[in-house]
Every structure is written in C-alpha cells, then in structure tokens.
Amino acid sequence: MSTQENDIILKTLRKQYITMYYADMLTDEMYTYKTVDDFSEKYGVTVSYMESMGSYIRNDLAPADSERCLPLIDPAYVMERLKKEEYYSFSFEDVTLGKKFYGELTFIRANAEGTKVVICGKDITEETLRREARELEAQRKQEIINSLGDMYVAMYLIDLSRNTAVELASSSNAHSIIGDVDGAVATEKFDMYCKHLMAPEYETKMREFTDIYTLDARMGKNQSISTEYYASENSAKELGGGWLQANFIEVSRDALGRLERVVFAVRTINDEKTKELRAQELLRQRMEIINSLSEIYAAMYLIDLDADSFSELYTVDHARDVVGNDKELKATVQFMGFLKYLTAPEHRERMKEFTDLSTLNTRMQGRRIITAEYISAVAGDVGKGSGWSQASFIEVKRDEAGRLKKVLFAVRIIQDEKVKELQQQALLRDALAQAESANKAKSDFLANMSHDIRTPMNGIIGMTAIAATHIDDRERVTECLQKITGASRHLLGLINEVLDMSKIESGKIDLAEEEFNLSELVENMVIMIQPQVAEHGHDFGISIQNVTHEKVIGDSLRMQQIFMNMMSNAVKYTPDGGKISLTIEEKPTNRPKVGCFVFTFADNGIGMSKEYQKHIFEPFTRAEDGRIAGIQGTGLGMPIARNIARMTGGDITVESKLDEGSTFTVTLFLELQDEEEIDYTEFSALRVLVADDDPIACESACLMLDDIGMKSEGVTSGRDAVDSVIKHHEDGLDYFSVILDWKMPDMDGVHTARAIRKEVGPNVPIIIISAYDWSEIEQEARTAGVDAFISKPLFKSRLVRVFDTIINKTEHTEAEAPLKAIEDMDLSGHRILLVEDNELNREIATEILEMTGIEVECAVDGTEAVDKITECEDDYYDLVFMDIQMPRMNGYEATRAIRAIDTGYARRVPIIAMTANAFAQDVEASRNAGMNEHIAKPLDMAALARVLDRWIRS
C-alpha cells in the first residue's frame, strides 16, 4: 500500500475517532497521530505507553471504571489477547471534564505477533446516554408492570404489527381460564376472550373494543382506553367477581407515529362497580326525590354550615338569573342576594333574621325543620316571582354533639293556598263580625218588634174598647172597625215578614210556578201604592222599554212582595212632594224560553250612607238616622226581596247618596209562557199621536205602537198635541186616536182633551194614560171628551185591548169587589164541610160562606172529618174546606184517609186547603196529599169567590 493510500485511511479514521495512537508493547513507546489538546499538553506527542495510558486510566476515569480498565491496558494482556483477536474494546466514563463524557478505547493488532498496536479513542457519550435512558425506561416500565400485576388479573403485550401476544403478568386463575398466550395470534386470543369470558350481552361491545385493526384510530392521542363488562358465569367465579375492566395502554409507536405495541390489561372492579351502581341507584333515588320535590319547591340548596358553602340542587330559572349559581360565593353572601332581589322590601328584615346561619343551630335545637312565609318579588319584574312563598331550613346532618353540619334550604310557592288562607281568615273575621252584628241586630230586632207589634195591638185593643163603649153609635163603631182592620193588616204584614225571613234563611222556601200576566201584576202594584203616593204628594212616573213578553211563569205573590217593598220604601223614605220613578225593561238572554226583566225603582229621597249600604240586605238591620225614627219597619223587607230575586237567578243592587236619593235595580229571570201570535192587521197604518212630557216614556209608547203596525207620532206637551191634531185635521189626515199623559206641566191631559174636542169635534178617540188614580177626575175627563183610561206602565196588551174596544165597540169590564161577588152568589141547596179546630176561625168562615146561602157543617179535627165523609151518602157534601194543623189528625193525613175510602165519591169530592200554612211548599204538600186547591189565611175574599165559583156554581 502506498503512502498516499495510508494517508487517506488515516484521514478517514481521524473523522471517526477523537484520538489515535501507535504503541509498541515491547519497547513501551507510544506515538500520537491524533489526540485532544489537553492530552497532548499533559502527556506529549511521543510518550511512554504505560506511563501516559496508565496515568489517564488511574486519574481521569471514574473509580469503578479505573479499576476495571487498568488490567485491560497491561502490555502482556494486550499482546496475549491480540494474538487471538483482531481487536477488542472497552468503554469508560471520564470524570475530569466537568460534564458527562463517555469514551471507548479500541486496541487493534498491527502485526501478527500482536506486539504493535493501534489504539483508537471514540466519544460514545450520546449513544451511551441514549442507551442508559432506554434501559431506565425499560426498568421503569418493568417496575410499572410488576406493580400493575397486583392490580390486574392479567396483562399481555400486544404487537400490533405482528398480531402477536405475550403474557406479562397473570393470576393463576386468569391463566387457567385464558391459557398459554406467549407467541399466540392476538386476534385469535381476543376472539376466544370475547366468546367465552364475558356475559353474552357484552360480547358485541367487547369485539368492537378488542378490534386491533381499529385500535390506533380509537385511541388517537390518548395513552389508554378502557371499557367495562360483566364476566360469564364461570369466569366470574374464578376471577372473584362479575364486573371487570379491560384496558389498552400504549407502549410504543413506530417512526411514523403509528401505534406499534400496547398492553392489554384486565382488572376486577366488582367492589367499586357495586359501590358505583349503589351510588348511582342512590343518586337516581335522590334525583327522583329532588324531581318530585321540584314539583313542590321552586328552589332547593344544600348548605354546609362549617364551610359556609351553598350548592344548588334545583331552582327556577328566574331565581338563578337574579341570585346566580356561583359556587365560589359563601352561603351568607348568597343569602344577601336572596334578600335583596327575591324578597319584598317589607319582609326583608324578618327574613334576614330567618336566614341568619350564625343562629340557625340554636333556632333548630330539637327541631328538624323551621319555616317562614314571605312575599317574593323579582327585582325589575315583579310578575315573574311575585306572591307568597315559604322558606324552610331542613336538617340534613348533625355531628356527634348534635350540632348542625348540613341543612337544606328550600323555597316553595304558596300563593294560591295563602290567598285561600287569607280569604278564609277574612271570611272567618267577616263571619264573626256578622255573627256579632246578627246577634246585636236580633236583639235590636226583638226590641223593635216588641214596639212594632205592640203598636198595632194597642190600636186593636184600644179601638175595640172604644167600639164597645159606643156600641150604639154606628158611625163611631164603623170607624173603629176600619182602624182595627188597618192595624190587623199591619200586624199581619209584620208577622209575614218574620215568617218569610225564617223560611228563607233555613232554605225551606220554594217559589210557586204559576202562569200570570206581568202587566196585571204591575197594574195591581200601582193601584195598591197609589193611595200612599197621593197621600205624600209624590210625583210618580212609570215607563216601559222593550217588553215583548207579558205572559210569564213564576210566583206572582212573591214578585208582588218585592215590588210593594221597593215602592213602599221609596214612598216612606222620600219627603213629601218628592219624585219617584219605575222603569221596566226586558233584556235578551241566551237561555231558551227565559226572560230577563229589569225593574229600576228610583227616588230623590233621603238616601243612604255608604256604610249602611253594606248592610242593607242583612236581616234585622235599619239605618241609624233620626229622620226615620217614626217610620215603622222590621229590617226584613230588603233581605226577603233580594233572596226571592236570587231564587229566580236574578239579584237586587242599590246605588244611593245621602240627601240625594236611591236607585234599586231588581233583576228577575222568569220562564216565558207559550204565547199565541196576535193578528194586528186591523191596526195597520192607523195614525196615533202620543203626548207625554217624559221623552223616554213618549218614545217607548211610540215604539210599542209601531211594533203593532200603527204609525205613531210623539210630542212632549199638551200645546204641541193640540197644534198637531189641528194641522192633521186641516190636511184631511185625522189621527185614529190621541194618547195623552194626564199630568203635563203646561196643559194637563184633561185640558188638552177639551181643546182637541173644541177644534176637531168628537170623532177622534182620546185616551188618558197615568200612573195615578184618576177616579177623582174621571167625571171631569169624560165631560172633556176622554174616551178611555189606561194605567201606566203602558203594556202592549193593554193598548191592544183599548184599541180593540174603540174599533170593535167591545166591552172589557173590571172584576167586581170580592166581597160583593160572594154576597151576590146564590149557592142555596149546596152543602159544604168546614174542618177547622179554632172556634173563632170556624165562626168567621161560617158566617162568610153562609152569605151565599150555602149550608155549612163543621168538624173540629181530621178524625171527625174522615168519620163524616165515611158515614155520609154520596154527594152529600159539594165541597170540603180543610185546615192543616189540627189535633189528633192533621189536614194532610185526613185528606189521604178520605181519598183512601173505597168509594168514587170519596175520591172525587173537592177538598180545598184553608190554612195559615201559606208558603209554596205548603201548597205543594197539600196537592201531594190529594187536595184540589189551596187558600191561605187570613182569607182572601177574591180567592174564596173563585174557588166557590169553580167547584160549586160552575
């Protein structure tokens, strides 16, 4: 080899080695070809081999390396070894450089005898450190595997690239189940694992988990993944529990970052899984409880008193929005927000004391729960959370000393129940006040009634004494009898009101259902009230609006009772010369065959205070007003009237001002009769003039006339009426009739009629309408040319009847006086049985009945009446008048016994109740017992006449 080639080799070797020496083992000489600077300075270029190399090994290497390496540089050892080997090497650590340095010396044989040697030094620091790191990591992993062996029942190293498995650790039980794994195909072992070692319901899940071909994608950047499963029955027994956890743990990745090797580890988790499932079940139960409580509570918080922490269990959104859910905030701070934003200002101070956690332990001593009620209000939006709420502290945990550790703070909305409670309290207070008021009122009533009853009784006794003293003075006796009659009627009215109120309050009153005509009922009321109106000089106006149904079904007597009460009060409590009005209106209803009738009674009398208006419908109450001290009354009229109205589905309301007057509105719902359609053809296009200074009454009358097909015109004064009649007469268009209100300011109806007759003659019928008794001016009116009179209110039926009289010249006579009708009856040849236990009543009834010429026989009780009917021959009695309340056998029992007698006569003889049992339910009871009709005591002569006419004369 040429010198040039030797230089090239040396140059190449110098790049690989940091030192190069040539040494002669026999001569101990060492020549330097390449070395580090400090070595050259220290040992020179040509040195003694043993002196320089030995010094370096002894002084520069780590002690352990120095001791190990010294024998390896001994010349004898070198020559002996190089005789057998081309070269040998050893590594070491140099500790004199101030940093980690690892070197390697290689001895290379230069001649065949091995006496001449090339010594090369190499820096192996980097690869040594890498190797040490790998060894350390392997050691650590082995230590981890060894430690995990206690945790896992089995661990296997899976080589994904080779699809092989190696057992790292395995319990004896696991090994006996899974078998030998080393070198096995991983996919085959996993197939067996999934097929035999787990419950069937987990097989599909575990096949997906152990799929090594998708494992890299599923693990991603995670160091491990895991799943849980339940072992098969056999393996569960071997492994000591049913629940296990399978894990894949990354071991290494290749140069491209792909998963290369993993550990598959299995551990039992039966105890912790059981605890977890128990905890989950407990949590589920708790959540069910919380969810159930959330139906009751709007918010629930768990408070740790020691930590002053505040944990939300449940709350409505708006409360969370306001108070927040900052778990870092202390419970005391949270309560400050609660008080500020969720509690109405007037309740904050009280709720501040309630939510004071520092005193909670003392306040809950011996108690598991404390509560407080308050009005909640969300700041800025009262509507969201406003209303009554109830806050509660509920014990959750105490320490051994009994001190509270944890409590539940719960809030629930109690708005509805609180409102009901407050309403109930108000009702109880009102009921108490009413009871106290009623007791006082009843006491006052008894005192008033004692006075009111004694007053007419005193008149009756006094007038009786006077009449007895002047027995021969017919005029004086007649006067006394008239006054006795008036006092008796007043006394009867007092008694009836007390009985009515008692019946109504006990709920035993029933309303009769009878057909009657509303126009006749109102007319009768007007006739009865006219004397009182005239006596006080009142201006009385009455009008009707939109009344299309006059024939109704109801209790006419009760209706009359309401109207008379309203009118008599208006008359009594309006100073003389006052103004009283009645308006009648029919309003539509959505109920078939039911009419709504509104009666408005208005006056400009003394009026009532607002305070008394609250009590006017309470029994036995009267206003404390000196102006009514002399006016008699029981304080029952109004309660009775309103109760009757309410029984029809209606009501009575009042508006009043002191010294200005009162307005009572009576609303009644009455069943409508089936009315036949009336033919108004004969009235078609007939012209009628109406004159009434009340514009509303005038318009109402015109509308009624138009409704029956006539052509109406209206004026509001007598003068206008005369002018209109003259104009139409001159035009050849005379009115068919003229209707004049009696009392008009400039010219009353009589003067207007006289002026019309003067201008157009007798051919135009003139009708006077009035709410007053015209008997005192009837003669004057007829002389002035008036053809007919009609009482207000102007019902359609009365108009039609009067026009029918004018057109067809028919007569509509009024009924005669009831007593006159009885006196004029001739019932001679007839016989009746009067059953009455009271001797005076028998005497009165007998005398009245005998006015007709009828023969009257008497029985003193029901037993005697039954005996008489049983013993008499057929048709002996034409009629039986039967009292109800009698000794031995009452009227109901007697009637049933008579009807039970096995004869046609006993079953058909008319039996009429004649009794003081005068209520609707009494009428019904008499009919149920088999009676034919009912007459109330005191005797109504008109009713008695009708009964006699119907059952005997007819």
Side-chain angles (χ1 to χ4, degrees):
M1 185 178 294
S2 65
T3 302
Q4 184 179 3
E5 290 175 332
N6 284 335
D7 290 341
I8 292 171
I9 292 172
L10 288 173
K11 187 177 181 180
T12 302
L13 290 173
R14 284 193 183 107
K15 290 180 181 179
Q16 183 176 358
Y17 296 103
I18 59 172
T19 61
M20 291 181 65
Y21 306 100
Y22 180 80
D24 188 330
M25 297 294 107
L26 296 177
T27 63
D28 192 34
E29 293 179 330
M30 186 171 71
Y31 299 95
T32 303
Y33 286 93
K34 181 182 180 182
T35 186
V36 292
D37 293 340
D38 58 347
F39 189 88
S40 300
E41 293 173 359
K42 191 173 183 179
Y43 301 109
V45 177
T46 303
V47 294
S48 167
Y49 164 73
M50 278 303 297
E51 184 179 347
S52 59
M53 188 63 70
S55 179
Y56 175 71
I57 295 297
R58 282 191 298 271
N59 298 324
D60 291 11
L61 270 60
D65 288 347
S66 176
E67 186 178 349
R68 176 177 59 82
C69 294
L70 275 174
L72 299 179
I73 66 168
D74 183 85
Y77 176 79
V78 172
M79 290 186 290
E80 182 64 27
R81 186 162 181 179
L82 288 180
K83 283 182 182 180
K84 301 175 183 178
E85 302 175 19
E86 292 288 334
Y87 65 91
Y88 74 90
S89 303
F90 61 85
S91 59
F92 55 86
E93 181 182 4
D94 189 327
V95 296
T96 63
L97 301 178
K99 61 180 180 179
K100 277 281 185 183
F101 178 81
Y102 290 95
E104 182 183 71
L105 288 178
T106 302
F107 287 78
I108 305 169
R109 185 173 63 191
N111 61 4
E113 294 79 11
T115 58
K116 294 183 180 183
V117 181
V118 175
I119 303 171
C120 298
K122 185 178 181 180
D123 183 358
I124 61 169
T125 300
E126 186 175 348
E127 60 186 273
T128 301
L129 290 176
R130 284 200 300 268
R131 176 177 51 76
E132 286 180 351
R134 286 196 300 270
E135 289 174 354
L136 180 61
E137 180 66 20
Q139 180 184 351
R140 288 174 179 170
K141 286 183 178 180
Q142 187 60 46
E143 289 175 353
I144 291 171
I145 289 171
N146 293 340
S147 64
L148 290 176
D150 298 331
M151 180 187 303
Y152 291 97
V153 296
M155 293 176 60
Y156 307 94
L157 179 64
I158 310 298
D159 190 320
L160 300 178
S161 61
R162 297 180 181 180
N163 192 15
T164 59
V166 176
E167 182 180 295
L168 298 177
S170 179
S171 67
S172 58
N173 290 336
H175 188 83
S176 66
I177 295 172
I178 299 173
D180 191 12
V181 173
D182 288 349
V185 177
T187 52
E188 292 178 357
K189 282 295 180 181
F190 279 131
D191 180 66
M192 183 203 75
Y193 171 77
C194 295
K195 192 172 183 179
H196 300 291
L197 300 185
M198 61 195 60
E201 61 268 26
Y202 286 90
E203 183 178 346
T204 301
K205 172 185 175 183
M206 288 304 296
R207 286 191 182 280
E208 294 175 356
F209 182 74
T210 57
D211 183 359
I212 64 174
Y213 300 111
T214 63
L215 184 60
D216 192 6
R218 285 186 285 119
M219 287 190 68
K221 295 182 179 180
N222 298 320
Q223 294 293 313
S224 65
I225 59 172
S226 64
T227 190
E228 297 171 354
Y229 67 95
Y230 199 80
S232 63
E233 186 175 350
N234 292 333
S235 61
K237 292 178 181 178
E238 293 289 339
L239 297 175
W243 282 102
L244 296 105
Q245 183 188 69
N247 302 265
F248 279 113
I249 306 167
E250 177 187 327
V251 174
S252 66
R253 292 180 179 271
D254 62 18
L256 297 176
R258 292 174 299 192
L259 200 61
E260 188 174 44
R261 292 187 298 172
V262 295
V263 169
F264 179 71
V266 179
R267 70 185 184 95
T268 59
I269 57 170
N270 205 58
D271 291 343
E272 56 195 271
K273 189 64 177 181
T274 301
K275 291 179 181 178
E276 178 189 337
L277 293 175
R278 188 179 299 117
Q280 288 178 355
E281 176 61 20
L282 184 60
L283 179 61
R284 185 188 63 79
Q285 292 175 358
R286 287 177 177 172
M287 289 308 298
E288 286 181 352
I289 293 171
I290 290 174
N291 291 336
S292 299
L293 290 174
S294 68
E295 297 292 326
I296 302 172
Y297 293 98
M300 291 184 289
Y301 305 93
L302 182 64
I303 299 175
D304 188 318
L305 297 177
D306 291 340
D308 194 17
S309 64
F310 196 89
S311 302
E312 177 191 307
L313 299 179
Y314 168 81
T315 186
V316 292
D317 292 339
H318 74 264
R320 186 184 295 112
D321 293 342
V322 175
V323 178
N325 188 28
D326 189 347
K327 295 182 180 179
E328 299 300 320
L329 288 178
K330 299 295 185 181
T332 48
V333 177
Q334 293 277 22
F335 276 126
M336 290 172 62
F338 167 79
L339 294 169
K340 183 176 181 180
Y341 298 111
L342 290 177
T343 308
E346 63 270 25
H347 291 261
R348 284 176 190 161
E349 193 61 35
R350 182 169 56 82
M351 289 305 293
K352 182 179 180 181
E353 296 178 2
F354 180 75
T355 56
D356 184 355
L357 298 181
S358 66
T359 64
L360 187 60
N361 193 71
T362 302
R363 287 183 286 126
M364 290 189 70
Q365 193 69 35
R367 303 171 68 183
R368 296 205 62 196
I369 182 170
I370 60 173
T371 62
E373 295 176 354
Y374 66 98
I375 293 179
S376 60
V378 177
D381 190 356
V382 177
K384 272 188 176 179
S386 64
W388 281 96
S389 297
Q390 182 189 72
S392 303
F393 281 112
I394 305 169
E395 174 192 323
V396 175
K397 183 180 179 181
R398 291 182 184 267
D399 62 15
E400 294 180 355
R403 291 189 60 81
L404 280 171
K405 304 291 286 181
K406 294 181 179 180
V407 293
L408 185 70
F409 180 69
V411 177
R412 71 186 185 95
I413 306 301
I414 59 170
Q415 176 67 11
D416 292 343
E417 55 195 89
K418 189 65 177 180
V419 169
K420 289 179 182 178
E421 177 189 336
L422 294 174
Q423 289 175 343
Q424 188 65 30
Q425 290 176 358
L427 289 173
L428 290 174
R429 286 194 299 271
D430 290 345
L432 176 61
Q434 288 178 6
E436 292 174 346
S437 176
N439 286 334
K440 182 179 182 302
K442 287 176 182 178
S443 298
D444 294 343
F445 166 73
L446 291 175
N448 291 336
M449 282 302 295
S450 175
H451 171 269
D452 289 349
I453 290 174
R454 288 174 185 275
T455 298
M457 281 299 296
N458 183 62
I460 293 170
I461 294 170
M463 287 297 106
T464 303
I466 293 172
T469 305
H470 300 83
I471 196 67
D472 295 327
D473 188 343
R474 181 179 178 84
E475 246 180 70
R476 193 64 185 275
V477 170
T478 301
E479 180 185 350
C480 288
L481 291 175
Q482 288 174 344
K483 291 180 180 179
I484 289 172
T485 300
S488 300
R489 286 176 177 169
H490 177 62
L491 182 59
L492 178 62
L494 293 175
I495 295 170
N496 280 339
E497 284 189 345
V498 174
L499 293 175
D500 268 355
M501 197 64 236
S502 175
K503 287 285 185 178
I504 290 171
E505 284 190 328
S506 66
K508 294 180 179 179
I509 189 172
D510 294 315
L511 295 183
E513 292 188 359
E514 58 187 4
E515 295 182 349
F516 66 93
N517 192 299
L518 202 58
S519 66
E520 294 176 0
L521 185 71
V522 174
E523 182 182 10
N524 289 336
M525 182 269 291
V526 171
I527 290 171
M528 285 189 285
I529 205 68
Q530 279 175 348
Q532 298 177 44
V533 170
E535 180 183 352
H536 291 277
H538 293 317
D539 178 7
F540 179 38
I542 184 167
S543 64
I544 185 169
Q545 299 176 12
N546 304 319
V547 176
T548 57
H549 301 91
E550 298 179 27
K551 294 182 179 181
V552 294
I553 298 174
D555 194 325
S556 61
L557 291 177
R558 295 294 182 184
M559 303 303 107
Q560 189 81 279
Q561 189 175 0
I562 294 175
F563 299 156
M564 286 303 297
N565 185 277
M566 296 296 154
M567 285 302 304
S568 60
N569 281 348
V571 172
K572 286 191 295 184
Y573 299 118
T574 301
D576 291 354
K579 187 173 183 177
I580 300 171
S581 67
L582 167 60
T583 303
I584 306 170
E585 181 180 5
E586 182 178 353
K587 292 186 175 181
T589 69
N590 56 1
R591 297 159 59 186
K593 296 200 68 176
V594 173
C596 175
F597 298 91
V598 180
F599 302 83
T600 304
F601 299 84
D603 64 66
N604 63 347
I606 62 175
M608 293 174 284
S609 67
K610 288 186 177 179
E611 182 60 29
Y612 177 63
Q613 289 177 51
K614 300 176 183 177
H615 305 285
I616 186 173
F617 295 112
E618 294 174 9
F620 313 115
T621 57
R622 297 189 70 192
E624 296 180 1
D625 191 329
R627 292 174 295 177
I628 66 170
I631 300 175
Q632 294 179 340
T634 62
L636 292 175
M638 280 299 175
I640 291 171
R642 189 174 70 164
N643 281 331
I644 294 171
R646 287 184 170 180
M647 290 176 72
T648 74
D651 202 355
I652 299 179
T653 59
V654 60
E655 294 180 6
S656 183
K657 287 185 179 180
L658 276 174
D659 300 319
E660 292 185 21
S662 304
T663 299
F664 287 86
T665 303
V666 180
T667 303
L668 302 175
F669 287 90
L670 301 173
E671 186 179 348
L672 304 178
Q673 295 184 38
D674 293 327
E675 296 189 39
E676 297 179 3
E677 289 192 12
I678 301 175
D679 185 5
Y680 298 126
T681 306
E682 60 183 339
F683 306 133
S684 178
L686 296 178
R687 294 179 180 276
V688 179
L689 176 66
V690 178
D692 194 324
D693 62 311
D694 182 347
I696 296 176
C698 183
E699 182 182 0
S700 176
C702 289
L703 289 173
M704 200 175 297
L705 291 167
D706 293 341
D707 192 43
I708 62 178
M710 292 182 161
K711 291 185 177 180
S712 66
E713 295 180 24
V715 294
T716 56
S717 70
R719 174 56 57 195
D720 289 342
V722 174
D723 292 343
S724 185
V725 169
I726 293 172
K727 183 179 183 304
H728 279 70
H729 180 69
E730 292 173 349
D731 293 340
L733 298 171
D734 283 328
Y735 291 110
F736 162 71
S737 179
V738 177
I739 300 175
L740 304 175
D741 185 26
W742 172 15
K743 294 195 174 182
M744 292 185 289
D746 56 346
M747 292 176 63
D748 65 22
V750 175
H751 288 86
T752 303
R754 186 178 291 113
I756 290 173
R757 288 287 181 239
K758 180 179 179 181
E759 296 294 337
V760 300
N763 295 327
V764 177
I766 298 176
I767 303 168
I768 290 287
I769 57 173
S770 177
Y772 300 89
D773 181 5
W774 59 74
S775 58
E776 61 185 67
I777 57 100
E778 182 176 1
Q779 186 60 44
E780 180 187 2
R782 292 206 181 273
T783 303
V786 175
D787 297 282
F789 297 89
I790 302 179
S791 296
K792 284 187 177 181
L794 206 57
F795 281 91
K796 188 190 298 183
S797 61
R798 299 190 65 80
L799 272 175
V800 170
R801 188 160 63 243
V802 170
F803 287 139
D804 182 61
T805 302
I806 295 172
I807 294 173
N808 300 311
K809 308 299 182 182
T810 56
E811 293 291 336
H812 294 276
T813 58
E814 299 296 330
E816 294 178 333
L819 192 56
K820 184 70 166 66
I822 290 175
E823 289 175 342
D824 290 346
M825 278 186 179
D826 183 7
L827 301 180
S828 301
H830 295 281
R831 185 184 297 108
I832 67 169
L833 176 63
L834 175 63
V835 187
E836 171 64 68
D837 66 311
N838 184 276
E839 184 178 356
L840 179 59
N841 287 343
R842 283 202 306 274
E843 181 180 348
I844 293 171
T846 299
E847 185 168 347
I848 292 172
L849 291 168
E850 286 179 344
M851 290 181 184
T852 66
I854 202 168
E855 182 181 347
V856 179
E857 291 187 8
C858 297
V860 297
D861 57 35
T863 302
E864 185 177 346
V866 174
D867 291 342
K868 284 182 175 290
I869 296 294
T870 303
E871 295 168 0
C872 75
E873 59 186 26
D874 287 357
D875 299 322
Y876 181 76
Y877 297 112
D878 296 289
L879 185 76
V880 177
F881 281 115
M882 181 74 73
D883 190 18
I884 299 299
Q885 294 188 15
M886 296 181 293
R888 294 205 295 172
M889 181 183 288
N890 66 35
Y892 300 138
E893 296 168 340
T895 301
R896 292 190 186 96
I898 292 171
R899 297 303 188 204
I901 298 172
D902 192 18
T903 64
Y905 168 65
R907 287 193 292 271
R908 72 172 180 268
V909 62
I911 302 177
I912 311 300
M914 182 184 286
T915 173
N917 294 48
F919 296 106
Q921 61 265 35
D922 300 317
V923 176
E924 185 65 23
S926 65
R927 288 175 180 168
N928 292 337
M931 299 186 191
N932 299 88
E933 269 198 55
H934 181 284
I935 299 178
K937 294 178 183 177
L939 289 178
D940 182 339
M941 299 307 164
L944 179 60
R946 285 195 298 272
V947 166
L948 292 174
D949 182 69
R950 178 179 181 183
W951 295 103
I952 297 181
R953 190 164 68 176
S954 299

